[in-house]
Amino acid sequence: MRVHVVSDVHGNARDLARAGEGADALVCLGDLVLFLDYADHSRGIFPDLFGVDNADRLVELRTARRFEEARVLGAELWGTIETDRASAIERAVRKQYAELFAVFPTPTYATYGNVDIPGLWSEYAQEGTTVLDGERVEIGGLVFGFVGGGLRTPMRTPYEISDEEYAAKIEAIGEVDVLCTHIPPEVPELVYDTVARRFERGSKALLEAIRRTRPRYALFGHVHQPLVRRMRVGATECVNVGHFASAGRPWALEW
């Protein structure tokens, strides 16, 4: 059995269309939407609406962790467009989702990332794509558990939830062979982004569940350039499956 795993797709429909080649199933750990490409500031919803110069400025402020100034800049820019912010974002996200969901192979098992909008997925997930969040599924004789979304941060991305809600979803899936989440467990080496030069939010509840239930694998994404991509926590192999938007290659799990 061979399963390909991707995360942080961020608009890369071209490579996503080939991600399932040679595999029995595809697993997607979220972040389909591209709001702003930190490597190429000309790509994404934000520069499409406000231009590359403003995207450069926003990235500069966020990278410097000047989040309040970034929010002020964003508020000023949103005030310059004729439609309201929610409608403009939803229209752009729908366009991306239509393209991305159309290229998912069958079968695909997917969960949400922190920049995704869960309420829209049911409109675009086609037959052969199973969306799971706080749920389990059997694939090739192994039990996979899925928990989507991220924890609350100053970035205020669309699908951030409380630590308590996230922990409840972890608890709901119980013991599994492969634990699939968008964010990593709260381990310094796994949550530090070497390019952004900051610690992203990982989950303590996820780390505790890994230590307690001892899945074979814990798979995740979210941190695009982690200090460590792979390490063991007790009996569990923890793997950041990679920033698919830039790498364009899935991570393979075989058994």
Side-chain angles (χ1 to χ4, degrees):
M1 188 74 182
R2 182 181 176 95
V3 169
H4 286 175
V5 189
V6 300
S7 185
D8 300 272
V9 175
H10 294 302
N12 189 350
R14 181 192 62 186
D15 290 322
L16 186 62
R18 301 192 294 263
E21 292 178 358
D24 298 291
L26 179 72
V27 167
C28 179
L29 304 182
D31 270 11
L32 298 184
V33 172
L34 178 61
F35 187 75
L36 176 57
D37 189 333
Y38 278 58
D40 180 355
H41 302 169
S42 69
R43 298 181 63 243
I45 295 171
F46 189 90
D48 286 349
L49 289 170
F50 304 118
V52 177
D53 288 345
N54 285 316
D56 290 342
R57 179 60 176 156
L58 184 68
V59 170
E60 178 186 349
L61 291 173
R62 285 184 170 180
T63 302
R65 303 185 67 81
R66 292 156 61 185
F67 296 117
E68 185 56 37
E69 291 176 66
R71 280 195 288 273
V72 170
L73 173 63
E76 291 174 352
L77 292 172
W78 284 108
T80 66
I81 64 173
E82 295 182 358
T83 186
D84 67 278
R85 175 174 180 164
S87 297
I89 290 177
E90 182 175 322
R91 186 163 54 248
V93 169
R94 284 182 177 278
K95 182 179 179 182
Q96 292 187 16
Y97 278 167
E99 183 179 13
L100 292 161
F101 276 95
V103 300
F104 272 141
T106 297
T108 291
Y109 303 90
T111 196
Y112 317 112
N114 61 292
V115 303
D116 288 311
I117 302 178
L120 298 181
W121 278 37
S122 61
E123 298 183 39
Y124 295 94
Q126 303 178 18
E127 185 176 356
T129 297
T130 303
V131 179
L132 304 117
D133 188 16
E135 299 164 284
R136 328 155 30 112
V137 66
E138 184 177 314
I139 305 174
L142 296 185
V143 178
F144 284 65
F146 290 80
V147 174
L151 298 174
R152 289 177 181 154
T153 71
M155 303 286 278
R156 299 183 182 178
T157 52
Y159 190 38
E160 294 181 354
I161 60 177
S162 69
D163 290 59
E164 293 76 17
E165 185 178 353
Y166 194 89
K169 291 196 294 184
I170 291 288
E171 185 68 24
I173 63 173
E175 295 186 12
V176 296
D177 298 302
V178 184
L179 183 50
C180 299
T181 59
H182 177 67
I183 62 174
E186 182 60 49
V187 177
E189 296 90 337
L190 297 176
V191 300
Y192 186 74
D193 191 305
T194 60
V195 174
R197 292 180 295 175
R198 65 170 179 255
F199 290 97
E200 303 289 355
R201 283 216 66 188
S203 169
K204 293 180 181 178
L206 174 57
L207 178 60
E208 292 169 359
I210 289 169
R211 287 172 170 161
R212 184 178 68 254
T213 65
R214 299 163 62 88
R216 297 188 194 181
Y217 291 93
L219 308 179
F220 49 87
H222 187 58
V223 182
H224 293 177
Q225 298 90 14
L227 183 62
V228 173
R229 291 197 176 276
R230 188 167 185 158
M231 68 183 296
R232 296 194 72 83
V233 173
T236 302
E237 189 74 13
C238 297
V239 183
N240 183 319
V241 301
H243 182 203
F244 186 78
S246 61
R249 296 185 305 274
W251 184 81
L253 175 62
E254 292 186 272
W255 68 95

